[in-house]
Amino acid sequence: FKNIYEVYIRELLKIIKDINLISIFIIAPITYPLLYGAVYMNKVEVDVPIAYQDDDNSSLSRDLLRSIDAHQNMKLAYRIYDDSQVEHDLMYEKVKAVVKIPKDFSYDIKRGKRTNVNLIAPAGRLLVIGDIGTPLSAIVSTYGAKISASHLAKRGMPVFENKAILQPIKTDYQYMHNPYLTYGDLVLPGLMAVIISQLLI
């Protein structure tokens, strides 16, 4: 055991005195996890600010927006009135995403027709899209099925024979090109610096 201890101490002193070995065995194992972990610092998004474009402006569309706003992951910040403002506000990160309700939303859903609700978001914000996209789809699908079934039943139509009732509202995801800051911009420079420094050493 004495020989093993002496060898251990001798090798440990070599590592401490050699900056190359320190970077490989100590600095790199600490730096890599920190760089990767920085991307996922906020594991769960809460009250993500999103804007909405309500082209239908009906009681049903407003009721759907209230349901979306009630979810803990999302917070409706303000209303947008035209497509140019959508691109501008997403580009300058005034909001993280935009929910767009089409003009004939209430007309179609009352008649059992399929309609779309669009979620517009920058393609680089993967965590935000994941945290708001899934609950938004669930809210939209549940709301659509409930309203459509209610209106069809009032008209005496067989609800369960209508295939559109299974998903009367479909959530479409529209990803905008994001030429500005993304997760890769934050992680890759630091990661490349560590790798290049190790190669040079």
Side-chain angles (χ1 to χ4, degrees):
F1 289 104
K2 184 179 179 181
N3 292 337
I4 295 175
Y5 176 75
E6 289 177 352
V7 171
Y8 176 80
I9 295 298
R10 184 187 68 198
E11 296 302 319
L12 183 61
L13 291 174
K14 286 183 179 180
I15 293 174
I16 293 174
K17 293 178 181 179
D18 192 334
I19 188 65
N20 299 338
L21 295 176
I22 289 177
S23 66
I24 293 172
F25 292 114
I26 298 176
I27 297 177
I30 295 174
T31 305
Y32 286 151
L34 288 176
L35 285 173
Y36 283 115
V39 178
Y40 301 98
M41 189 174 295
N42 296 321
K43 302 291 191 301
V44 178
E45 299 286 346
V46 178
D47 286 339
V48 176
I50 61 176
Y52 64 95
Q53 184 177 352
D54 185 3
D55 292 337
D56 190 54
N57 198 29
S58 64
S59 59
L60 290 182
S61 64
R62 289 190 291 270
D63 191 32
L64 174 59
L65 290 170
R66 282 192 292 269
S67 299
I68 294 172
D69 191 38
H71 196 278
Q72 63 179 7
N73 287 19
M74 295 168 282
K75 180 180 180 181
L76 294 182
Y78 54 85
R79 182 173 181 176
I80 287 178
Y81 292 92
D82 58 73
D83 294 336
S84 62
Q85 189 183 354
V86 171
E87 184 175 353
H88 176 272
D89 289 4
L90 288 175
M91 182 181 297
Y92 291 98
E93 295 191 339
K94 291 185 177 181
V95 288
K96 301 298 183 182
V98 175
V99 175
K100 184 175 181 180
I101 299 178
K103 185 176 181 180
D104 295 328
F105 174 80
S106 59
Y107 179 86
D108 289 339
I109 197 172
K110 285 178 181 179
R111 285 154 182 78
K113 291 183 178 181
R114 180 165 293 181
T115 185
N116 293 334
V117 169
N118 296 324
L119 175 65
I120 307 170
R125 302 303 184 191
L126 299 179
L127 296 182
V128 173
I129 292 172
D131 285 338
I132 68 176
T134 302
L136 180 67
S137 293
I139 291 169
V140 167
S141 297
T142 303
Y143 180 84
K146 179 180 71 174
I147 298 300
S148 188
S150 174
H151 282 280
L152 289 175
K154 288 179 182 178
R155 295 167 60 189
M157 297 181 65
V159 173
F160 296 105
E161 292 181 10
N162 192 320
K163 293 183 179 180
I165 196 63
L166 298 176
Q167 193 181 18
I169 310 177
K170 184 176 180 293
T171 306
D172 282 343
Y173 297 92
Q174 296 180 9
Y175 303 117
M176 293 184 60
H177 172 63
N178 182 19
Y180 299 95
L181 191 66
T182 63
Y183 297 122
D185 297 325
L186 298 174
V187 175
L188 290 181
L191 192 61
M192 290 300 296
V194 173
I195 294 172
I196 291 172
S197 64
Q198 285 186 344
L199 291 174
L200 292 174
I201 290 171

